[in-house]
Amino acid sequence: MKFIILVTFLTIAPWASAQKSALPEPLNLLIQQGGEVVEQFDAPAGMQGYIADFRGQVITLYVTSDDKYMFTGAMLDTQGNNLGEQAIQDYMSGPKSIKDWKQLETSHWVLDGSPAAKRIVYTFTDPNCPYCSKFWQNARPWVDSGQVQIRHILVGILRADSQQKAAAILAAEKPSVALAEHQVANSLPNLKPLLEHSTDIKRKLMENHQIMMVMGASATPATFYQDETGVVQKQMGLPPEAMMTQILGHLKEN
């Protein structure tokens, strides 16, 4: 099994850190390449099953009884049941959801909407992304009603000046106003790129990009929200009209 080497950082969970020295050697290979072993469960034929979080993707791993070999994927019984499915669901709806939301909260976001709005949505935004602007425009009824606040996590990945434009918004006296003015213009070049920005702004943009990678997002917009059960969900790309209520909630008339 091949793993893509991450150039970003991942924080190893306390369980993984405590168990690292006792883990079978094949699992240490996963950890060395940025993965996180988060759960362990019993598997048949003397094997051990593990749940791992790798670049935002949750996978099942199985290690043979001699601790020498590892394989990933679904293990099915004679009835076709996936033996690791329940362990994955428990992790996705519990620890991972909590961890992902806390990770998003630590990002350097720009507020769109009222800080008192109860529903919070995070979206990774590139200033040169036309679909990000379209999502901003489509969300106006929810944001303007005060029901939803969208927290834009600025990144610069699309064009050569994307990072400089993101820096200009973050460094503005009122970042929320700068973002709104830019989005109203529908990504026209009204925003002057900030060619020289401070170390602090550079750090914030770097950390935003790292969080984006950790969350398994590779393009903008990448939107994260909590469903009706509180589980964090992800929408890649411009949300279709049919999904707007799912992401932003039912629009209530004032």
Side-chain angles (χ1 to χ4, degrees), residues 45-64:
M47 292 185 288
Q48 282 295 315
Y50 298 88
I51 302 298
D53 195 332
F54 187 78
R55 201 173 188 178
Q57 180 182 6
V58 179
I59 57 176
T60 48
L61 300 163
Y62 296 92
V63 177
T64 54

Side-chain angles (χ1 to χ4, degrees), residues 196-213:
E196 295 293 333
H197 40 283
S198 68
T199 301
D200 183 58
I201 294 296
K202 291 178 181 178
R203 175 186 59 81
K204 289 179 178 179
L205 288 172
M206 180 187 70
E207 291 177 356
N208 280 356
H209 188 259
Q210 289 174 331
I211 292 172
M212 183 179 183
M213 298 298 291

Side-chain angles (χ1 to χ4, degrees), residues 235-253:
Q235 164 63 31
M236 292 297 301
L238 175 66
E241 184 177 351
M243 282 196 66
M244 292 295 284
T245 298
Q246 181 177 328
I247 295 172
L248 302 177
H250 292 281
L251 186 59
K252 302 176 183 178
E253 294 184 5

Side-chain angles (χ1 to χ4, degrees), residues 7 10 37 46 60 93 116 133 235:
V7 295
L10 279 174
V37 179
T60 48
S93 62
S133 294
Q235 164 63 31

Side-chain angles (χ1 to χ4, degrees), residues 18 42 148 204:
D42 293 330
V148 179
K204 289 179 178 179

